[in-house]
Amino acid sequence: QVQLAESGGGLVQAGGSLRLSCTVSLGFSTYTMGWFRQAPGKERAYVTAIGQGGGILPYADSVKGRFTISRDNDKNTVYLQMNSLKSEDTAIYYCAARRRSHHGSYYSTLGYNYWGQGTQVTVSS
């Protein structure tokens, strides 16, 4: 089965940086890869995504200018570089994979086929 595994979460101070990674077990180069996050009591929300060939989809307004997505197909890994972190960035961060044939919006959880278990990011004020 396709398995996704996030890593790199942790506790950081406001203004600091963190880099998340997500490794995919099978078929990585065929997927659009997305990052989502979910704060307590809130719905899982789109952060950013990157296509099979490296094209980047729009960033959520809340992270523009601070977060950067990238991928390395040789390592089957997608990254999320997070800079200038704020307390409101505190959430569980999930990576997701979308098959090319899948229906649904790139900006919705319904647009992705496979999900990781998430990694906790906590930003202290």
Side-chain angles (χ1 to χ4, degrees):
Q1 291 185 338
V2 177
Q3 294 182 319
L4 283 62
E6 302 98 336
S7 62
L11 175 65
V12 298
Q13 294 183 337
S17 297
L18 204 61
R19 190 191 195 195
L20 306 183
S21 300
C22 174
T23 300
V24 180
S25 63
L26 293 171
F28 178 77
S29 64
T30 70
Y31 303 138
T32 290
M33 297 298 302
W35 284 100
F36 290 73
R37 66 186 184 182
Q38 187 167 21
K42 297 185 178 180
E43 295 184 354
R44 193 169 301 184
Y46 171 87
V47 176
T48 184
I50 186 168
Q52 301 133 289
I56 299 172
L57 281 72
Y59 290 86
D61 288 342
S62 57
V63 307
K64 285 180 180 177
R66 300 188 298 119
F67 289 13
T68 303
I69 189 171
S70 62
R71 70 189 294 161
D72 186 339
N73 286 353
D74 292 333
K75 295 182 178 180
N76 300 319
T77 300
V78 61
Y79 304 95
L80 184 66
Q81 179 67 46
M82 305 185 295
N83 299 325
S84 302
L85 283 162
K86 306 174 181 179
S87 60
E88 52 261 44
D89 295 318
T90 295
I92 301 174
Y93 284 71
Y94 298 89
C95 67
R98 174 190 173 97
R99 296 197 300 260
R100 190 167 184 261
S101 60
H102 192 58
H103 295 170
S105 173
Y106 288 99
Y107 311 106
S108 169
T109 58
L110 297 177
Y112 295 81
N113 301 93
Y114 310 109
W115 292 85
Q117 292 184 331
T119 185
Q120 177 71 48
V121 172
T122 302
V123 183
S124 62
S125 59

